[in-house]
Each structure stands twice: as structure tokens, then as C-alpha cells.
Amino acid sequence: MNTMTNTSSMPPSVRVPLTGLLGWLIPGMGHLFIGDRKRGIIILVTLTLTFWTGIAVGGVRSTVDPQQKKLWFMAQICGGTHALAAYGMGVYSRGDLRKDQLAHSQWGSTEVALVYTGVVGLLNLLAIMDALVRADPASRRGHPAPATVSRMDPT
Amino acid sequence: MSDVLAQLFVTPVSLSGVEKSLLILPLCLSISIVYKATRLERLRDMPAAVAGLWVTIVIGMYAVGVGLWVVYRVLA
């Protein structure tokens, strides 16, 4: 992957924040950006499937709702574009329906969906922090460098 | 087909209590996979580690659930 050599030549002051931003935007992208391809794909696929499974269970209209479910939204938004896309789809599909006209909570599926999407956000926070540590080798003093980082080293 | 997909993501799915309790299994699997993906340096060790963590979380969560249910039944 070409980004492996490109990112290793970047100064840490650019590489680390960019890794965090990409990891937030698309879960797993932070690892992909620093060249940890397998780890990034595992995180990307797992978190994407889990988030949209939650949305499929609870429906897009009431699962991501910053007005009614502020604390859940704070967890969900750590999932980046998934949460933003679900929120946008929810606003679009809700149309002119009032809150009390929405079909939610009567089967308890909204609660399941909230847990799924909230957990995805928190897991992505963990993945972002892991990517940040891996992006800055200086922060890994005392730990062996991962194989992918050593391959990034042009020497 | 697109209508079916759109309905799937718009309309909440009706779930029974058993179905809700079974939905903990894929969620715990996701947690195990992502946690072990961040912790392990050698990804080839992941399947065994993920399986171990998944079983531990599932047994722990069901044990907590059964414990709370017993407390509820005793106090009710």
C-alpha cells in the first residue's frame, strides 16, 4: 500500500492528528492510513456491520436522535460518518411526522438499536486511540514496534 | 428490492424477549473482535483470543441477567 511509505515520511505533528480524524470519520480508516491494513479492515468491517445491524433493528427514524437521546447520541457520534449518515437518513425519512407519530419503543427494538450504535461509537473511540498510539512510534517506548510499522521504515 | 431494504432500515423490527436476549451474541462478538484487534500485535492469534473473550462476556452477561432475575423474583 503506497500510503504506508507516504505516511511514514510525514512528521508526527501531521500524521497523528490526521490518523485520528480519519479514524473518526470512517472507523478503521486510521489504521489503514498508517499502513496497518489487516487491522483496519477488521475494525472497518466489524463496526460497519454492527452499526447498521443496530439501525436495521431499530429503524433509522428514532435511533440517532440528538434532541431526544442526547447521551446516546454522544456515544453514537464517535462512530463518525455512520452516525451522521443515519441521522441524515432519519431526518429525511421522518418527513413531517411528529415525534408521537413515530413507531418506536413499542417493541423494545429501539433500545437494542441504541445499545448497538452506542457501543459502536465507543469501540471506535478505542480504535482511534489505538491508531493514534500506533501512528506515533515515540509514544510506544518500551513496547515492541508492530510488524507493519517496521515494514513502513524505509531503512 | 430497494423498497424492502428501505423498509428494513426505516421500520423497527418486532422483537420478542428471547430474540432480544439472543441479540447480545453478535454484539459481544463485535466487542471481542475490535478489542482484540487493538490489543494483539499478531493478528493470527485473534480467532482463539476472540472466541475466549466472547464466551467470557456472554457467560458473564447471562450470569448477571440470571442473578438480577433471581433477585427480582425473591423481592417480588
Side-chain angles (χ1 to χ4, degrees), chain A residues 30-74:
Chain A
H31 287 88
L32 289 170
F33 177 67
I34 59 172
D36 211 340
R37 199 164 37 174
K38 282 184 185 168
R39 209 178 301 272
I41 289 172
I42 288 169
I43 292 169
L44 174 67
V45 171
T46 307
L47 292 187
T48 302
L49 281 177
T50 308
F51 187 91
W52 290 102
T53 300
I55 295 291
V57 169
V60 80
R61 285 176 175 166
S62 56
T63 303
V64 182
D65 187 347
Q67 278 87 41
Q68 300 289 318
K69 301 172 179 97
K70 286 192 181 97
L71 286 176
W72 282 111
F73 182 74
M74 285 168 69

Side-chain angles (χ1 to χ4, degrees), chain B residues 3-15:
Chain B
D3 287 348
V4 174
L5 269 178
Q7 280 305 309
L8 175 69
F9 286 99
V10 171
T11 312
V13 177
S14 176
L15 295 172

Side-chain angles (χ1 to χ4, degrees), chain A residues 50 115-116 119-120 123, chain B residues 23-32 54:
Chain A
T50 308
V115 172
Y116 264 69
V119 165
V120 166
L123 285 174
Chain B
L23 274 169
I24 199 174
L25 301 177
L27 183 64
C28 290
L29 185 62
S30 295
I31 293 169
S32 308
W54 180 66

Side-chain angles (χ1 to χ4, degrees), chain B residues 29-43:
Chain B
L29 185 62
S30 295
I31 293 169
S32 308
I33 290 172
V34 174
Y35 180 73
K36 287 298 176 186
T38 60
R39 294 294 297 172
L40 294 175
E41 289 302 336
R42 294 191 324 158
L43 290 178

